Amino acid sequence: MWVHSHSTGMTSTHEENHDNIPEPALLVAQFIDSLVHAELEDPFEIDFARLYAMPENENHDWQIALESNPYELMMNNPRPPATKAGCLVVTGWAAPMEKEPREDVEPSVRPSEHPKRQRVRVCIAICDGKIATVMRSSDEPDDVKNMSERGMGGIPDVLEAWWKDELQ
């Protein structure tokens, strides 16, 4: 269920070259990340996944939906009419990749079981159908990493389907 706010399982790589990041989506991801980061006592523990919807009219409030499962969150909360952008916020585990990632090969160890695991918070935004992601990790909680690629996995796929109203 959507509420109004008076505040204005994905893999990817981190690169310094941001030429292919869609600027509006990146700005939304950065904005939501800073908003969430400022309100949390522990930046890597949120009780529920959060889905923010930015209205086209700048004078209206952001809408926020919460649910424990991010996939169900997007399926149970269709994109509101006249939404300019959306942003999903989730926390989880990340681990270094031992080899170059390939779509046809699953990692040998789950990130939550890897000896070098760390907590992460990811804000994945969509604007004009384009996706951008920012991530913070527990080893450097004040360092915001801009992800230069769309990312692989279910989260970007479901976020795109949510954007296109294809989840019903």
Side-chain angles (χ1 to χ4, degrees):
M1 168 183 283
W2 288 106
V3 296
H4 292 282
S5 168
H6 294 286
S7 324
T8 306
M10 182 178 98
T11 58
S12 187
T13 57
H14 168 61
E15 296 177 10
E16 292 304 317
N17 179 357
H18 305 297
D19 293 340
N20 57 356
I21 295 177
E23 191 66 27
L26 178 61
L27 293 174
V28 170
Q30 290 171 334
F31 173 75
I32 295 297
D33 173 75
S34 64
L35 184 76
V36 171
H37 195 71
E39 85 174 54
L40 296 176
E41 282 186 39
D42 180 339
F44 304 101
E45 292 298 327
I46 55 176
D47 293 335
F48 298 101
R50 300 175 181 193
L51 182 59
Y52 293 79
M54 178 179 147
E56 285 182 359
N57 184 336
E58 304 283 333
N59 295 324
H60 290 131
D61 295 331
W62 284 72
Q63 294 183 35
I64 302 172
L66 307 169
E67 204 158 316
S68 58
N69 182 305
Y71 299 99
E72 291 176 13
L73 172 62
M74 289 183 281
M75 287 190 267
N76 294 337
N77 295 280
R79 180 177 152 204
T83 299
K84 185 177 183 177
C87 187
L88 178 68
V89 181
V90 295
T91 56
W93 292 102
M97 297 181 128
E98 305 299 324
K99 302 176 194 165
E100 196 63 29
R102 291 182 20 207
E103 288 187 33
D104 60 337
V105 178
E106 288 290 318
S108 58
V109 176
R110 294 176 56 106
S112 61
E113 298 168 353
H114 194 284
K116 296 181 181 174
R117 70 185 177 266
Q118 56 188 311
R119 294 294 291 169
V120 295
R121 187 182 70 239
V122 178
C123 294
I124 178 169
I126 189 163
C127 186
D128 299 326
K130 307 280 193 249
I131 289 181
T133 303
V134 299
M135 181 181 80
R136 291 183 192 246
S137 57
S138 56
D139 66 337
E140 297 178 289
D142 294 323
D143 182 25
V144 179
K145 296 170 181 76
N146 298 320
M147 310 307 267
S148 62
E149 298 174 2
R150 174 190 174 277
M152 298 180 297
I155 295 285
D157 295 343
V158 174
L159 189 59
E160 285 176 337
W162 175 83
W163 182 257
K164 296 175 185 175
D165 293 321
E166 296 175 347
L167 295 177
Q168 300 307 310

